[in-house]
Amino acid sequence: EATTRRITRAFFAAHSLDELAERSDYWLGQQGRLTEPMVLREGSRHYEPIAWDDAFDLIAQNLRALDDPDDAIFYTSGRTSNEAAFVYQLFVRAFGTNNLPDCSNMCHESSGSALGETIGIGKGTVTLADVENADLILIAGQNPGTNHPRMLSSLERAKDNGARIVAINPLVEAGLSNFHNPQRVRGVIGKGTELADEYCQIRLGGDLAFFQAVGALLIDADDAGEDVLDHEFIAQYTSGFDEYRRHVAEIDWDDVHAATGLERAQIERVAQMVATAKSVVVCWAMGLTQHRQSVPMIREIVNVLLLQGNIGRAGAGACPVRGHSNVQGDRTVGINEHPPAAFLDAIDREFAITAPREHGLDVVNAIRAMRDGQARVFIGMGGNFIRATPDSRVTEAAVRNLDLTVTISTKLNGSHAICGRQSIILPTLGRTERDIAAGGEQVVTVEDSMGMVHASRGRLEPADPDLHSEVAIVCEIAKRTVGAAGTIDWDAMRGDYRRIRGHIERVVPGFDNFEQRIATPGGFALPNGPRDARQFATDDGKAHFTTNPIEVLHLEPGRLILQTIRSHDQFNTTIYGLNDRYRGISAGRRVVFVNPADLRELGVSDGDRVDLVSEWPTSAGVEERRAHAFRVVSYPTARGCAAAYFPETNV
């Protein structure tokens, strides 16, 4: 956000829509900050300037002209603040729809689903203090060195406190193998910190089998008299243990080996570490959440934690790590296509409206609706919908099928070039910039992966004095579209975000004394029943053991399993540079990492150029997808697996 580069109307006059569509997201992002509203008129191939008032009126006219509010889709990125997200969902529900897909649908929905089913809350149960004071930390499908540097510092403190760490990942990650903390002298001139005590180089998709095998070994050890399980916790706080016990007693170790690619001896070493640990934290991220089997995979992690009572005590628990700064907070304050009835009831009471009760569209169903002509307007607050979504060819055609797309953005990305017949770009303030409204300088809040709510105040001068904040943009569109719905005062909320926080306090449980508590250094923790009091909001009030069958991905000869990854100079879909220093890649992203033994079997050499071909079974047969011209990199990934960057492989 702090770049000094600026995109002006001259840029759009010089670059047609077709040219922008051919440019990489890296190139688009490097052009600088957006500074004035732009419009693409139907039939034109160039964006042109539009006044703020005219842009707001055009958006409102298109929304009011819809036959049904459900013909509009309102997307949200996790970088949006609690205040902006709350007024956004309020506008959408006053308009009459729950079509609120968000980035969580793609990244973290499986964590929320699995945790909601098993412990009654779709969030983790740890704080950073728990991570730093854990006896044992298992990290699965997460690369803190590439994507979560703040967590790496906590892992280093955990090591200083005597923790052991197990890494479970198909790729050997430099950040977990040897962490160099630039804030410490030894991290700059010394050897760094060896974080991982055990590195399980697992086959892609094998995590369910891995954790189920660990659970089986823990039960075996307890049966042999080693006093491993927390029987008191299991009896008092859980249900389903006997069925789970019978299920894992029949585990097939040949299936475990085939699914994980790991030798039984290594899994037994990890199980022994778990068995003897005083407290265990399991961390995971998108390496686990984006599989077809991701929900049962995460349920299996919960099973292992429940066996030893590692929910609801210090230094222990479940830790799903979200990347975006407020992806969890957006959901807390109402960005949800199927919100709980209690939340909608509270909205109705607070604002004297009747929010719709029908479930809205998530990301996948939003794409289907656009594809099938059942949606006409798309508004995206932040993010890069085109590049964040899978199945690029279908998604791009679906978006081009729309009457109008609106993007609220700080910089250009692919979603500005792949757009509807009409398109409006509304430039917005970043969170690092000072936000001055009618009520003075404003502060916003976010909720992190640990359920902590923090204040966020921008310090930089805005990239342009005429930029509007996300709150201001949403409130102005809402005022011109739905007007004075119920008792909603859009101007008052736009002018003073304390008004918004007052509404959040009365609508969302856990935000009591919101305004006072955001002044607390480090923020404040939202209520978390499992963590705070071993209270589980499930149908029987207990945490649930589950039974989950192991599925083995069997490959035909000559096939590999592809995982998509981020580079070092990348955050989600935003690409800051073309280097990946952790993996030794420079000046390019069209690379595919393959185990050298697999390359020998395939008859392919390091440095060769190849196409990536994916085979997807359909009712009509096998459908092929191709990503062209990738350079092969011989790399110590798990056998039978390959890795390449997204969004290049989203096709």
Side-chain angles (χ1 to χ4, degrees):
E1 291 176 356
T3 179
T4 57
R5 300 189 189 106
R6 301 289 182 265
I7 294 177
T8 65
R9 58 184 63 185
F11 171 88
F12 289 104
H15 298 283
S16 71
L17 188 69
D18 306 281
E19 182 184 345
L20 295 177
E22 292 298 318
R23 295 286 190 170
S24 70
D25 277 65
Y26 169 68
W27 186 89
L28 293 171
Q30 289 296 305
Q31 302 313 302
R33 289 289 299 276
L34 295 160
T35 56
E36 65 177 325
M38 304 298 294
V39 62
L40 179 78
R41 309 280 183 185
E42 186 164 3
S44 175
R45 307 312 293 166
H46 283 265
Y47 280 98
E48 60 189 64
I50 184 173
W52 278 104
D53 279 342
D54 294 340
F56 291 140
D57 284 340
L58 184 56
I59 296 166
Q61 288 165 12
N62 274 267
L63 289 173
R64 291 198 305 267
L66 295 174
D67 297 329
D68 189 312
D70 288 334
D71 292 347
I73 294 165
F74 300 86
Y75 177 72
T76 318
S77 158
R79 64 167 290 281
T80 302
S81 68
N82 288 325
E83 289 75 11
F86 185 81
V87 294
Y88 193 49
Q89 65 81 32
L90 178 61
F91 159 48
V92 171
R93 294 190 165 108
F95 181 62
T97 183
N98 281 314
N99 285 351
L100 281 160
D102 73 320
C103 57
S104 278
N105 292 151
M106 295 169 288
C107 301
H108 307 291
E109 200 72 70
S110 47
S111 290
S113 179
L115 293 171
E117 290 176 32
T118 54
I119 62 173
I121 188 172
K123 301 182 181 183
T125 66
V126 300
T127 64
L128 279 178
D130 289 319
V131 173
E132 293 168 7
N133 291 286
D135 194 37
L136 175 67
I137 304 170
L138 278 65
I139 301 173
Q142 181 202 357
N143 305 327
T146 308
N147 297 307
H148 303 112
R150 183 182 178 196
M151 176 161 246
L152 262 183
S153 297
S154 290
L155 293 175
E156 187 177 41
R157 282 191 286 273
K159 289 294 288 186
D160 290 343
N161 291 333
R164 293 171 297 170
I165 295 177
V166 176
I168 306 160
N169 207 323
L171 292 167
V172 174
E173 290 293 336
L176 280 173
S177 301
N178 190 11
F179 172 45
H180 290 262
N181 187 340
Q183 297 179 359
R184 293 187 175 191
V185 172
R186 78 173 190 223
V188 177
I189 62 175
K191 294 193 303 180
T193 302
E194 292 291 340
L195 289 181
D197 297 273
E198 185 80 39
Y199 213 112
C200 299
Q201 206 168 354
I202 197 166
R203 186 176 184 259
L204 278 164
D207 304 81
L208 189 158
F210 176 87
F211 281 98
Q212 191 164 124
V214 169
L217 291 167
L218 293 178
I219 291 175
D220 288 347
D222 193 79
D223 288 344
E226 293 186 31
D227 191 25
V228 171
L229 306 187
D230 188 336
H231 292 281
E232 183 178 345
F233 174 87
I234 292 170
Q236 183 175 351
Y237 294 107
T238 75
S239 62
F241 172 70
D242 291 339
E243 185 179 356
Y244 167 76
R245 181 186 191 122
R246 287 191 295 270
H247 177 74
V248 299
E250 299 174 358
I251 197 167
D252 186 324
W253 280 94
D254 289 336
D255 282 349
V256 171
H257 176 68
T260 65
L262 302 174
E263 297 300 325
R264 178 168 178 167
Q266 185 174 32
I267 300 175
E268 288 177 339
R269 285 199 303 274
V270 174
Q272 182 61 23
M273 294 169 73
V274 176
T276 57
K278 299 182 182 72
S279 58
V280 179
V281 168
V282 183
C283 301
W284 70 92
M286 283 165 37
L288 263 63
T289 62
Q290 295 198 327
H291 293 269
R292 184 182 60 192
Q293 287 290 97
S294 59
V295 173
M297 195 179 286
I298 295 164
R299 288 198 301 247
E300 207 63 60
I301 290 174
V302 175
N303 286 336
V304 171
L305 290 170
L306 294 179
L307 285 172
Q308 296 178 291
N310 279 311
I311 300 281
R313 59 192 182 88
C319 182
V321 179
R322 272 85 171 189
H324 254 321
S325 56
N326 202 41
V327 66
Q328 188 159 293
D330 287 355
R331 186 62 62 91
T332 297
V333 300
I335 301 296
N336 193 337
E337 77 278 2
H338 53 90
F343 177 84
L344 296 177
D345 292 343
I347 286 284
D348 289 354
R349 288 192 302 270
E350 180 71 7
F351 297 103
I353 63 172
T354 302
R357 264 53 182 179
E358 300 80 11
H359 286 185
L361 299 175
D362 60 12
V363 165
V364 170
N365 284 311
I367 295 170
R368 290 173 176 151
M370 292 186 284
R371 177 197 65 188
D372 298 339
Q374 296 167 358
R376 294 171 52 194
V377 174
F378 175 94
I379 299 180
M381 185 156 65
N384 185 355
F385 187 82
I386 283 289
R387 299 294 177 241
T389 46
D391 210 349
S392 304
R393 185 175 62 191
V394 171
T395 302
E396 291 175 9
V399 169
R400 286 180 167 131
N401 204 26
L402 292 163
D403 292 340
L404 173 68
T405 52
V406 179
T407 48
I408 303 168
S409 309
T410 56
K411 288 184 173 183
L412 272 184
N413 59 49
S415 294
H416 302 106
I418 311 295
C419 57
R421 287 181 284 274
Q422 291 185 96
S423 179
I424 295 174
I425 300 172
L426 299 178
T428 187
L429 290 172
R431 274 218 319 270
T432 59
E433 294 171 312
R434 296 179 68 208
D435 183 355
I436 309 295
E441 188 166 347
Q442 302 299 309
V443 62
V444 296
T445 60
V446 296
E447 177 191 349
D448 65 22
S449 293
M450 311 295 178
M452 300 292 294
V453 178
H454 309 260
S456 177
R457 185 189 300 273
R459 301 294 184 186
L460 302 178
E461 286 302 309
D464 187 272
D466 201 29
L467 287 179
H468 290 28
S469 70
E470 289 181 329
V471 168
I473 289 169
V474 171
C475 287
E476 195 60 36
I477 295 173
K479 185 172 72 170
R480 299 181 191 217
T481 304
V482 302
T487 60
I488 303 172
D489 190 334
W490 301 110
D491 286 333
M493 291 189 291
R494 174 181 179 171
D496 190 345
Y497 301 173
R498 290 176 297 184
R499 298 288 292 268
I500 304 172
R501 287 191 285 276
H503 291 306
I504 293 173
E505 180 176 338
R506 292 186 289 273
V507 169
V508 185
F511 284 87
D512 309 311
N513 301 314
F514 193 2
E515 200 64 44
Q516 292 72 35
R517 293 164 76 197
I518 61 173
T520 305
F524 65 91
L526 290 175
N528 187 303
R531 181 194 66 208
D532 301 338
R534 288 183 164 174
Q535 293 177 346
F536 304 98
T538 57
D539 53 0
D540 60 0
K542 295 189 174 186
H544 294 170
F545 281 95
T546 56
T547 58
N548 307 291
I550 292 174
E551 286 194 8
V552 181
L553 269 171
H554 293 289
L555 297 179
E556 296 180 26
R559 272 68 171 174
L560 303 171
I561 313 170
L562 177 69
Q563 74 175 120
T564 55
I565 59 176
R566 290 180 273 205
S567 69
H568 171 258
D569 285 339
Q570 178 178 357
F571 182 76
N572 290 345
T573 57
T574 303
I575 299 162
Y576 297 114
L578 300 179
N579 299 327
D580 189 345
R581 55 183 164 176
Y582 281 129
R583 302 183 183 107
I585 302 299
S586 60
R589 292 178 52 83
R590 297 189 78 83
V591 297
V592 56
F593 302 93
V594 186
N595 186 287
D598 289 323
L599 288 179
R600 286 193 295 272
E601 289 185 4
L602 292 167
V604 176
S605 299
D606 182 85
D608 283 356
R609 298 281 171 172
V610 298
D611 289 350
L612 306 183
V613 184
S614 113
E615 300 169 327
W616 185 255
T618 70
S619 57
V622 175
E623 184 176 331
E624 273 194 6
R625 294 295 172 89
R626 286 179 177 263
H628 297 283
F630 281 68
R631 179 169 63 88
V632 173
V633 176
S634 179
Y635 198 86
T637 186
R639 286 296 309 271
C641 301
Y645 302 127
F646 78 87
E648 286 79 2
T649 46
N650 282 14
V651 64

